[in-house]
Amino acid sequence: MSASLCFRPTNNRKSANHTGFLLLGLSEDPEVQPLVFGLFLSMYLVTVLGNLLIIPAVISDSHLHTPMYFFLSNLSFVDISFTSTTVPKMLVNIQTENRAISYTGCLTQVYFFMVFICMDNLLLTVMAYDRFVAICHPLYYRVIMSPRLCHLLILLSFFISIMNALLRSLMVLHLSFCTNLEIPHFFCELAQILKLACSDTLINNIHVYLVTSLLGMGPLSGIIFSYIRIVSCTLRIPLTGGKYKAFSTCGSHLSVVSLFYGTCVGVYLSSEATLSSRKRAVASVTYTMVTPMMNPFIYSLRNRDMKRALRNLISVIPSCF
């Protein structure tokens, strides 16, 4: 491919910024655009409002000042940031009928998307470890899950997520891109960007598969191991009521884990085998929008302490105005 058909962002940043990319979205049918806009706006508002209520509810209720709810409030913050990375840009594109996104904007979106999806993944693993300690080592729970360890686990998860996203983004900077810069997605997904490169992406693809396997299967293995131990410990509890209480404390987290990993694995395995790029974009809505939107409902509807804290918070809000 001739040089006139490609640009190299690292050597010609001005050209890259002027060229940019086009986000094709979920549909090119003008009649469908208002429906997509209304649906995504509603889901985004529910996601932000639901997760935004959990954070002050945990902070304001002293009964929720425990490691489990500390991690839950951080998960809510990550879910808000996760959806805010992609959805607002899509809504603006639909409203303005302009699908362009600059090279810098696209790379920024890739970076923050990778940070928050990795953070989501690691937080679910940390929460599984918290449940394992609470059920299998209840007498040492407060000693093991000290505030210092909880903050350290959050900082470590954040550091790993930042470094992973930074490394992936820096590797994209060394690629040359062809003139066909249409991304069949509603946000800048790394896999779709690599397909547009007209330079060799072998190293990038190897890195993506290795890191995805490490940061995907590693945490998932940790979650599975934690729940195997939890089930083993729970079965040794003599009283039926004690077993039910032990399992009920894990129900919400297990539901969120199943929803998150089930949709992610389902989308990527099925899309690689059978789905086109556009259908993959539609399928990816499940883990980019549905999962963060459902998390607050799962944790609030299955938890009496959380429902009480939310009721108290909502009753206080009108008096603040």
Side-chain angles (χ1 to χ4, degrees), residues 266-267 270-280 283:
V267 166
S270 61
S271 63
E272 291 295 333
T274 60
L275 298 183
S276 64
S277 296
R278 182 57 62 84
K279 291 181 179 179
R280 171 174 172 164

Side-chain angles (χ1 to χ4, degrees), residues 64-115:
L64 302 183
H65 292 176
T66 63
M68 180 177 72
Y69 294 108
F70 171 71
F71 295 134
L72 176 59
S73 60
N74 279 274
L75 181 66
S76 295
F77 170 76
V78 170
D79 283 340
I80 293 173
S81 305
F82 182 39
T83 54
S84 297
T85 301
T86 58
V87 179
K89 177 60 179 176
M90 177 191 182
L91 296 177
V92 170
N93 286 359
I94 294 176
Q95 194 68 16
T96 60
E97 298 182 355
N98 181 10
R99 300 179 180 181
I101 183 171
S102 66
Y103 173 80
T104 303
C106 191
L107 195 60
T108 302
Q109 195 176 70
V110 168
Y111 172 77
F112 283 106
F113 179 83
M114 296 306 305
V115 168

Side-chain angles (χ1 to χ4, degrees), residues 50-77 127 296 299-300 303 305-314:
N51 284 284
L52 203 57
L53 284 173
I54 286 181
I55 298 174
V58 171
I59 295 174
S60 61
D61 194 325
S62 59
H63 296 92
L64 302 183
H65 292 176
T66 63
M68 180 177 72
Y69 294 108
F70 171 71
F71 295 134
L72 176 59
S73 60
N74 279 274
L75 181 66
S76 295
F77 170 76
M127 294 173 75
Y299 276 103
S300 60
N303 191 302
D305 293 334
M306 181 58 68
K307 284 191 288 187
R308 185 193 67 249
L310 287 172
R311 283 196 299 267
N312 293 337
L313 178 65
I314 294 174

Side-chain angles (χ1 to χ4, degrees), residues 178-234:
C178 305
T179 53
N180 182 23
L181 302 177
E182 296 181 344
I183 299 176
H185 217 304
F186 63 92
F187 66 93
C188 290
E189 188 185 39
L190 181 60
Q192 298 295 334
I193 293 177
L194 293 179
K195 291 180 180 180
L196 298 178
C198 56
S199 57
D200 186 18
T201 60
L202 177 61
I203 301 299
N204 297 74
N205 288 324
I206 292 175
H207 175 262
V208 167
Y209 285 119
L210 287 177
V211 174
T212 301
S213 300
L214 181 63
L215 294 180
M217 296 306 300
L220 180 59
S221 300
I223 293 173
I224 293 174
F225 176 76
S226 296
Y227 274 102
I228 290 175
R229 295 295 304 275
I230 287 172
V231 171
S232 176
C233 293
T234 304

